Amino acid sequence: MGRGIMFTLLCLSAMMVARAEDPYFFFTWNVTYGTISPLGVPQQGILINGQFPGPNINSTSNNNIVINVFNNLDEPFLLTWSGIQHRKNSWQDGVLGTNCPIPPGKNFTYHFQVKDQIGSYFYYPTTAVHRAAGAFGGLRVNSRLLIPVPYADPEDDYTVLIGDWYTKSHTTLRKFLDSGRSIGRPDGVLINGKNANGDGKDEPTLHHEAWQNLQVQRSHTVQNTYESLDVHVGQCFSFLVTADKDPKDYYMVASTRFTKTVLTGKGIIRYTNGNAPASSEIPEAPVGWAWSLNQFRSFRWNLTASAARPNPQGSYHYGSINITRTIKLVNSASNVDGKLRYAINGVSHVDPVTPLKLAEYFGVNDKVFKYDTISDEPPATFEKVTVVPNVVNATFRTFIEIIFENHEKNLQSWHLDGYSFFAVAVEPGRWTPEKRKNYNLLDAVSRHTIQVFPKSWAAIMLTFDNAGMWNLRSELTENRYLGQQLYISVLSPERSLRDEYNIPEDTLLCGLANGLPKPPPYTI
């Protein structure tokens, strides 16, 4: 098999400056409104430097990324870098629990290091329902040249962004949610912001001279060949394709699963020396979630491949580490005062005016939130839902087991900022301690987002060694916006730069943190 083409699959110019430390890349992004028509219906989109989707960031492990974001919208705006661990630096996470949003007409400079990790990631807005209007893009972290990868260098690589899309504006969708209504089913599926018509006029999603190994989010996996990939909301894959077909156009197809109505999006793969259109016959998608479950189980960590390892060193022997705490989280939907709310263990999160991280850092957290309103065990019933900021207090450097249990008929997808975790099991039914005998305690994939099938559960393990305030959320836009998220506070008792960086000088302040004197800085 010859060299293939690397795809980065994800549910501006840069200037590099020579420094003694790891390389820096600088970006300037202007965020504006613009008219787009991804499904043929003109609507207000959110563009970055006039682009939809936004620019790709192509970096290498340990690079420093500096992005000056100018908000030219008429409302506050904020970006998160989904999957980037921000070691010791939750100040850059870009969620409303850690950062004040950028006011209209203002700017903020993100500065973070893509350290000790490789893989495919993406960024998107966390304010309002802006994600449904654009301002998302790919972020790739390549392996350093000194570290070999378990496959031949590909001829080329491409970023593929797949997501559902509404023809209603983001402001209309937000009004629905604020009034207590669901936003309903999406209107289509986009691949890199488009859906090919197949009429010969489509611009290709990618093209190559001639045309599978897989990487899941941040791990080299044991090599397998797949005809179809099951990618859930917020998940990322990198995979290799060998260009060995007849030279012509081909479809790349993405279709929804576990939905009453199946929506399909198409992109064009074009051979540069081909002139025939793509076939109108599209293979049927796999049926049933047992197929998805079996594929999940087939993803195994390649323990012999060189790569950035999860911290702390040695944690890839995760199966031999004693669990110090088990947190079991059950998602639910209910009405609160006649409005739809989503909850975790009976608590529905709301973002306070003062970001949780700032409140904690400036010592005014008792005026903003209470720790551990949520219990480690779900309540017996979900008749009562508490709507408050939802913060879990985690002990620094403890090894935790988290169980996600989904009692509903809809599929869930959970993401944790600041970390990767070992996805040790996904199974149908309810979790009990006896289920641990089915865990993969040897070579489970290290990832940041895990799916939970209907009427099923998933188990993850990780060490809370990254000090900061970190968001655990449903990646379903409606669920997250209406409360299905929480924050995990991981405090280092040492107040040392060895564990966490100081608050950046240019940090935006809002709420109770505005005007307060800064606490003494951390030292070594």
Side-chain angles (χ1 to χ4, degrees):
M1 186 174 74
R3 286 197 292 172
I5 295 170
M6 176 67 80
F7 288 77
T8 293
L9 182 64
L10 307 170
C11 211
L12 165 84
S13 326
M15 178 179 65
M16 191 170 83
V17 177
R19 296 173 182 250
E21 53 186 314
D22 291 303
Y24 276 68
F25 287 82
F26 294 92
F27 301 84
T28 298
W29 285 2
N30 288 294
V31 180
T32 61
Y33 292 123
T35 301
I36 56 176
S37 306
L39 294 177
V41 179
Q43 59 190 115
Q44 184 188 66
I46 299 178
L47 315 179
I48 297 178
N49 291 354
Q51 300 178 40
F52 170 80
N56 284 317
I57 298 176
N58 193 7
S59 64
T60 299
S61 183
N62 287 12
N63 283 171
N64 291 280
I65 308 297
V66 182
I67 307 174
N68 193 359
V69 178
F70 288 82
N71 178 17
N72 296 303
L73 309 182
D74 58 4
E75 55 185 336
F77 181 79
L78 200 57
L79 287 169
T80 194
W81 319 94
S82 188
I84 300 301
Q85 290 186 31
H86 300 297
R87 300 296 303 176
K88 306 192 296 185
N89 197 15
S90 65
W91 304 110
Q92 306 295 328
D93 198 26
V95 288
L96 289 170
T98 57
N99 294 88
C100 300
I102 307 169
K106 302 294 183 180
N107 70 298
F108 174 70
T109 301
Y110 294 89
H111 180 183
F112 56 89
Q113 187 177 26
V114 288
K115 184 174 176 59
D116 297 331
Q117 61 182 126
I118 59 172
S120 308
Y121 308 95
F122 66 105
Y123 60 87
Y124 67 85
T126 54
T127 37
V129 193
H130 291 150
R131 183 175 177 173
F136 51 78
L139 198 170
R140 183 181 303 133
V141 184
N142 302 302
S143 183
R144 287 181 290 173
L145 293 177
L146 294 176
I147 301 176
V149 295
Y151 49 82
D153 289 342
E155 295 285 355
D156 210 341
D157 53 56
Y158 298 89
T159 295
V160 181
L161 296 156
I162 298 174
D164 54 30
W165 192 258
Y166 293 83
T167 55
K168 297 182 182 67
S169 70
H170 66 98
T171 54
T172 298
L173 295 177
R174 186 181 184 184
K175 287 177 182 177
F176 281 2
L177 295 176
D178 288 342
S179 66
R181 298 169 55 190
S182 170
I183 57 177
R185 298 187 182 96
D187 299 296
V189 172
L190 303 182
I191 298 180
N192 284 1
K194 301 175 183 178
N195 186 14
N197 297 315
D199 56 5
K201 300 179 181 179
D202 297 302
E203 289 294 323
T205 302
L206 55 98
H207 59 267
H208 44 76
E209 296 296 334
W211 302 64
Q212 153 168 278
N213 170 37
L214 181 70
Q215 180 194 91
V216 181
Q217 294 185 297
R218 66 180 309 277
S219 306
H220 291 308
T221 60
V222 174
Q223 295 185 9
N224 290 310
T225 299
Y226 300 91
E227 293 183 356
S228 179
L229 281 176
D230 201 52
V231 185
H232 299 277
V233 182
Q235 292 183 343
C236 310
F237 290 79
S238 297
F239 59 93
L240 282 166
V241 171
T242 301
D244 58 358
K245 303 299 182 185
D246 293 334
K248 54 174 286 189
D249 282 3
Y250 292 88
Y251 279 130
M252 174 182 288
V253 181
S255 60
T256 58
R257 304 199 62 222
F258 312 103
T259 56
K260 186 175 181 179
T261 302
V262 175
L263 300 173
T264 299
K266 301 187 294 293
I268 296 293
I269 298 174
R270 178 165 296 161
Y271 283 72
T272 55
N273 57 338
N275 55 12
S279 170
S280 59
E281 295 183 8
I282 297 176
E284 291 186 4
V287 177
W289 65 268
W291 178 89
S292 300
L293 180 57
N294 288 333
Q295 187 176 94
F296 165 82
R297 290 171 174 166
S298 76
F299 299 150
R300 299 282 187 164
W301 206 7
N302 186 340
L303 298 179
T304 64
S306 298
R309 295 289 188 188
N311 285 316
Q313 292 300 315
S315 69
Y316 47 92
H317 298 301
Y318 63 93
S320 61
I321 304 175
N322 291 328
I323 299 169
T324 58
R325 182 179 181 183
T326 296
I327 302 174
K328 184 179 178 182
L329 303 175
V330 176
N331 51 276
S332 63
S334 58
N335 285 321
V336 177
D337 298 328
K339 293 185 177 182
L340 176 64
R341 295 293 303 185
Y342 292 94
I344 307 172
N345 286 7
V347 181
S348 184
H349 175 79
V350 288
D351 290 306
V353 174
T354 307
L356 306 168
K357 176 63 178 173
L358 290 180
E360 189 176 68
Y361 184 80
F362 282 96
V364 294
N365 48 287
D366 58 335
K367 299 178 181 179
V368 177
F369 68 91
K370 294 181 180 179
Y371 293 105
D372 297 323
T373 300
I374 188 173
S375 170
D376 284 3
E377 286 285 335
T381 66
F382 296 95
E383 295 178 358
K384 182 181 177 181
V385 172
T386 303
V387 182
V388 293
N390 195 358
V391 183
V392 171
N393 192 9
T395 303
F396 190 44
R397 291 181 178 151
T398 51
F399 191 67
I400 304 293
E401 171 188 51
I402 301 178
I403 312 299
F404 299 101
E405 201 169 85
N406 182 12
H407 297 178
E408 299 179 314
K409 297 180 180 179
N410 300 318
L411 186 139
Q412 264 287 358
S413 189
W414 294 99
H415 170 87
L416 176 60
D417 283 352
Y419 291 89
S420 66
F421 50 72
F422 294 100
V424 295
V426 173
E427 289 193 359
R430 302 289 178 91
W431 182 87
T432 61
E434 291 74 24
K435 300 291 186 180
R436 292 188 181 118
K437 68 179 184 294
N438 299 331
Y439 285 6
N440 176 358
L441 296 180
L442 176 64
D443 57 0
V445 171
S446 175
R447 61 201 309 174
H448 55 73
T449 305
I450 184 71
Q451 75 270 21
V452 190
F453 297 106
K455 306 293 184 180
S456 302
W457 58 270
I460 66 172
M461 291 178 169
L462 73 153
T463 299
F464 279 127
D465 66 315
N466 192 12
M469 181 75 72
W470 303 107
N471 189 216
L472 173 65
R473 60 180 174 270
S474 169
E475 282 287 11
L476 308 180
T477 297
E478 177 176 302
N479 297 45
R480 176 198 60 80
Y481 185 84
L482 292 180
Q484 215 156 65
Q485 59 176 312
L486 56 80
Y487 284 83
I488 300 175
S489 172
V490 184
L491 289 171
S492 166
E494 301 298 328
R495 291 184 63 87
S496 168
L497 287 174
R498 288 190 298 269
D499 299 330
E500 187 174 15
Y501 295 145
N502 282 311
I503 185 171
E505 289 296 326
D506 63 345
T507 296
L508 298 174
L509 300 180
C510 54
L512 297 179
N514 204 1
L516 290 179
K518 289 184 179 179
Y522 297 157
T523 60
I524 296 293

